[in-house]
Amino acid sequence: MELWNLPTLILARTLLGKELIHESKDGTTSGYIVETEAYLGPEDRAAHSFGNRRTARTEVMFQEAGTIYTYFIYGMHTCFNIVSGPINKPEAILIRAIEPVQGIERMKERRGALKKEIMLTNGPGKLSKSMGFSLKHSGQKMNSSSILLQDGIVISDDEISVGPRININYAEEAVHYPYRFWIKNNPYVSR
DNA sequence: AAGAAGATTAAA
DNA sequence: TTAATCTTCTTG
């Protein structure tokens, strides 16, 4: 997919509206991507890979674009990212929110007794749980594993908002970088 | 080997 | 506003 050759910031915007699909053995779930954040590796203080920091966890960020990077945070949540940029340039895009399409009942089962559909996937930890993403997916490739990306709905530029990222207060000068992209007025965007 | 902090969430 | 909760990284 030539999509992966795009620069990370462009890709983060382009991913909006694409359908993210997980075909797991207990059922298929999918949703349109409605919110993303770009993390630009070495020069981005908010990124795990700032200054080319290379550890067991960040190792997958150095791989080719389209590699899946999942990590565990706050002792209870998994976040789902797609690696971007050239090999050895550790950039990634965090998927912050999706709009459920397939397997909504399955999502509700995974989340427990939740009634509101809107609460299923409007945050990085929530969407990971609803979609069944876990640490074992880290290092797999998009479209050659159980996780796929397809064309969803087309989003024009005037339907997109851009702004600073969420919850990276430690990132000093990078706090205000406008690396967050979301679809205007979409109820499934976080907060 | 041990401790601190974290790209969050839900409940009060 | 805070507790929940555990992986990863840093330090000793």
Side-chain angles (χ1 to χ4, degrees):
Chain A
M1 203 185 277
E2 67 288 342
L3 192 64
W4 307 126
N5 295 329
L6 294 171
T8 297
L9 286 173
I10 307 294
L11 180 57
R13 176 253 172 274
T14 307
L15 286 177
L16 294 176
K18 295 278 189 290
E19 185 177 2
L20 180 65
I21 304 162
H22 184 200
E23 296 176 343
S24 73
K25 29 181 187 306
D26 64 333
T28 295
T29 47
S30 80
Y32 298 134
I33 296 172
V34 299
E35 184 180 2
T36 62
E37 279 181 7
Y39 285 88
L40 298 193
E43 59 270 2
D44 182 359
R45 194 171 287 280
H48 291 157
S49 54
F50 175 68
N52 279 313
R53 250 169 107 262
R54 200 158 188 152
T55 65
R57 179 175 63 157
T58 61
E59 190 60 34
V60 303
M61 292 182 73
F62 290 82
Q63 295 185 34
E64 64 184 310
T67 302
I68 291 161
Y69 172 44
T70 54
Y71 63 90
F72 207 78
I73 194 77
Y74 298 127
M76 33 179 65
H77 301 292
T78 306
C79 293
F80 178 85
N81 306 250
I82 300 174
V83 175
S84 173
I87 289 183
N88 285 325
K89 187 85 197 305
E91 302 180 339
I93 296 164
L94 170 65
I95 309 301
R96 286 194 58 87
I98 64 175
E99 175 180 335
V101 176
Q102 299 179 49
I104 294 178
E105 288 309 309
R106 179 69 41 187
M107 291 184 182
K108 287 180 179 168
E109 287 176 29
R110 285 174 177 152
R111 293 296 309 284
L114 263 169
K115 305 168 192 147
K116 295 209 155 183
E117 185 176 317
I118 206 138
M119 299 291 288
L120 286 173
T121 56
N122 64 337
K126 299 179 192 179
L127 117 221
S128 296
K129 187 159 190 194
S130 293
M131 292 287 284
F133 295 144
S134 69
L135 296 181
K136 69 168 193 256
H137 294 112
S138 205
Q140 296 186 13
K141 309 293 181 198
M142 290 299 282
N143 294 38
S144 63
S145 61
S146 60
I147 301 174
L148 313 168
L149 193 68
Q150 286 185 1
D151 287 335
I153 49 181
V154 176
I155 307 297
S156 62
D157 283 336
D158 59 2
E159 294 176 272
I160 295 178
S161 290
V162 180
R165 292 168 290 184
I166 305 287
N167 275 322
I168 52 164
N169 312 325
Y170 59 90
E172 301 180 23
E173 81 280 357
V175 166
H176 303 294
Y177 292 0
Y179 290 174
R180 171 168 173 253
F181 304 85
W182 69 96
I183 299 178
K184 267 181 211 170
N185 302 321
N186 185 297
Y188 296 92
V189 169
S190 65
R191 295 202 186 194

